[in-house]
Amino acid sequence: MSSNLIGSILKNLRKERKLTLKELAEMTNVSISFLSQVERGKSSVTLESLKKIADALKVNPTVFFPDVTSHDELAEIRQQFYYKDLSNGIQDAAYTPILVTLQSGENKGNAFSHSGHEFLFVVEGTLTVVVDGKEMELKEQQSTMFDANLLHYWYNLTDKPVRFLVVSSR
């Protein structure tokens, strides 16, 4: 997935909602210059920034990613992270299921919070999760659930990709 495509989608969504860069920056607490760089494909976006932007635009974060039909295609993309929407197209559900793939060594980012609750289930690999300053390591078939109002983030500190299910309530 190129930064250009994410930027193009972001710009279209922002314009559809008749928002200026300044208004979106204020809603997301990210800088105008950063948003501009993302829209122009000059900067990549982190998981937490993408989540803030998606929340402000009232869209599922997966809108920024095309459907990938096989794991081989995903390996070719080799991006830091990938979201796959599992909502089956249902809009305005009480929760949003997303399959996330983090590439090996994806350990950058800042904790963030949002309303609702979050459930994580590791499908493949080992995921490091930090919630309210407490770190835990989840291995395949392990899960956790927490209040998403608490600062949280997840990392892949291993040398293999990790795939996990995120179910967030609205």
Side-chain angles (χ1 to χ4, degrees), residues 123-141:
V123 176
E124 175 184 336
T126 301
L127 182 69
T128 301
V129 182
V130 178
V131 179
D132 200 25
K134 296 175 187 136
E135 185 176 308
M136 66 185 94
E137 191 174 85
L138 299 176
K139 298 189 183 299
E140 288 181 27
Q141 307 298 304

Side-chain angles (χ1 to χ4, degrees), residues 64-79:
F64 295 105
F65 299 92
D67 278 339
V68 174
T69 57
S70 75
H71 197 63
D72 290 340
E73 286 180 63
L74 179 59
E76 284 179 30
I77 291 173
R78 295 296 302 160
Q79 60 195 28

Side-chain angles (χ1 to χ4, degrees), residues 15-157:
K15 289 190 174 228
E16 282 175 11
R17 285 153 182 76
K18 297 180 179 12
L19 292 171
T20 65
L21 282 171
K22 181 180 181 191
E23 290 168 331
L24 185 57
E26 289 170 356
M27 294 167 70
T28 58
N29 203 24
V30 299
S31 72
I32 296 170
S33 61
F34 172 73
L35 287 173
S36 175
Q37 288 175 352
V38 171
E39 285 190 358
R40 292 180 289 127
K42 303 291 183 194
S43 180
S44 59
V45 63
T46 63
L47 284 169
E48 73 269 15
S49 294
L50 190 64
K51 176 70 174 147
K52 287 178 185 179
I53 292 166
D55 286 348
L57 295 172
K58 295 182 175 31
V59 296
N60 188 311
T62 60
V63 74
F64 295 105
F65 299 92
D67 278 339
V68 174
T69 57
S70 75
H71 197 63
D72 290 340
E73 286 180 63
L74 179 59
E76 284 179 30
I77 291 173
R78 295 296 302 160
Q79 60 195 28
Q80 292 176 329
F81 59 91
Y82 173 75
Y83 283 136
K84 182 173 183 183
D85 183 4
L86 302 177
S87 68
N88 205 21
I90 296 173
Q91 300 294 316
D92 299 323
Y95 57 89
T96 305
I98 300 171
L99 182 64
V100 179
T101 301
L102 290 180
Q103 296 300 334
S104 62
E106 174 55 31
N107 57 12
K108 297 177 185 161
N110 297 308
F112 62 101
S113 63
H114 52 89
S115 62
H117 291 87
E118 199 156 286
F119 171 79
L120 305 175
F121 177 83
V122 178
V123 176
E124 175 184 336
T126 301
L127 182 69
T128 301
V129 182
V130 178
V131 179
D132 200 25
K134 296 175 187 136
E135 185 176 308
M136 66 185 94
E137 191 174 85
L138 299 176
K139 298 189 183 299
E140 288 181 27
Q141 307 298 304
Q142 291 184 325
S143 64
T144 189
M145 187 169 170
F146 53 88
D147 181 342
N149 288 295
L150 299 172
L151 284 176
H152 61 280
Y153 202 72
W154 49 78
Y155 305 92
N156 181 357
L157 302 176

